[in-house]
Amino acid sequence: PDAEIIAIDVAAPMLRYGHARAKSLGVNDVVFQQADATRTGLESGSFDAVLTYILFHEVPSRLFDPIVAEIARLLRPGGTFTI
């Protein structure tokens, strides 16, 4: 209940959809942010968990390593990455 949730996507329409969906479910405490998964601009070591959904299905394989490196940069020691 005390979690801070940040949802990122490179596509503004997906963020609008996610925001509308969350609002329709009464979820008002998610931050939606447009960002490239290889360069989020978020603080290093600031996440306990990162979850991706359909991300690797949607991006070219040449971006897999840069995305995983960005996720590793974002995670605190002992953090989890779930695909």
Side-chain angles (χ1 to χ4, degrees), residues 21-58:
R21 178 84 170 122
K23 187 175 179 180
S24 76
L25 294 171
V27 177
N28 299 309
D29 53 355
V30 177
V31 174
F32 291 89
Q33 180 175 325
Q34 190 170 9
D36 178 332
T38 63
R39 300 180 307 278
T40 64
L42 298 166
E43 184 179 345
S44 295
S46 60
F47 288 82
D48 294 313
V50 172
L51 166 71
T52 64
Y53 180 73
I54 309 178
L55 173 66
F56 292 101
H57 172 76
E58 296 293 331

